[in-house]
């Protein structure tokens, strides 16, 4: 019985060592640890930073560009003038606060688009088209990057729990008196 358990222990430890080893034989343990520590950082930064920039640019641009606008064409507010903020507001022009601009940016870039805010002037619409296309792509990249980081974190945690259980099991039923290469790498 002990012989069968020893074979199972050896096979399992060899399997785990093969799965956990991500380096070539000529690299040391330090290279693997450095690779694991730095592999998620660029993904997180490189996806969060562009998304945050698009949100910031949209918020600032639409706050100042559409602070109060009378629009044009079918959506124009009658008897409204864009020249003075107070006159625009009194005439019922479309105004946007900082909170409104931030909300508009998030809702637009995440493609939710409730329709409660819209670009009401010509410049806002011209700038908005490329901003939305590139911003939605940035949002998709951000969501993908966050998903990869979370998945990697969950795998690492699950792998760590599996290793703890395995090492606890080995402690109770040690296969031999020595330390195998696979046990050393755990």
């Amino acid at each position: 019985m002990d012989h069968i358990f020893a074979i199972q222990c050896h096979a399992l430890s060899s399997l785990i060592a093969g799965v956990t080893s991500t380096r070539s034989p000529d690299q040391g343990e330090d290279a693997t640890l450095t690779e694991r520590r730095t592999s998620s950082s660029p993904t997180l930064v490189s996806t969060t930073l562009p998304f945050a920039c698009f949100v910031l640019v949209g918020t600032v641009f639409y706050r100042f560009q559409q602070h109060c606008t009378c629009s044009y064409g079918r959506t124009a507010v009658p008897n409204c003038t864009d020249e003075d903020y107070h006159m625009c507001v009194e005439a019922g022009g479309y105004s946007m606060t900082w909170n409104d601009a931030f909300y508009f940016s998030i809702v637009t870039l995440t493609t939710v688009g409730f329709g409660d805010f819209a670009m009401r002037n010509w410049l806002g619409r011209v700038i908005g088209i490329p901003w939305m296309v590139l911003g939605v792509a940035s949002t998709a990249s951000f969501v993908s990057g966050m998903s990869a980081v979370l998945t990697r974190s969950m795998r690492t945690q699950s792998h760590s729990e599996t290793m703890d259980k395995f090492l606890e099991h080995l402690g109770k039923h040690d296969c031999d008196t020595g330390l195998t290469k696979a046990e050393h790498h755990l």
Side-chain angles (χ1 to χ4, degrees), residues 22-24 27 29-42 152:
T22 59
R23 65 187 190 287
S24 63
Q27 293 178 319
E29 185 69 24
D30 292 338
T32 303
L33 293 175
T34 303
E35 178 185 324
R36 286 181 185 165
R37 272 190 232 123
T38 60
S39 64
S40 64
S41 298
R152 191 176 304 123

Side-chain angles (χ1 to χ4, degrees), residues 1-14 166-180 183:
M1 183 69 169
D2 288 335
H3 178 68
I4 294 173
F5 183 73
I7 292 173
Q8 290 175 340
C9 284
H10 180 69
L12 186 56
S13 60
S14 297
F166 178 69
L167 289 173
E168 182 181 321
H169 183 73
L170 278 179
K172 290 178 184 174
H173 309 286
D174 195 6
C175 299
D176 55 12
T177 58
L179 187 64
T180 68
E183 291 171 341

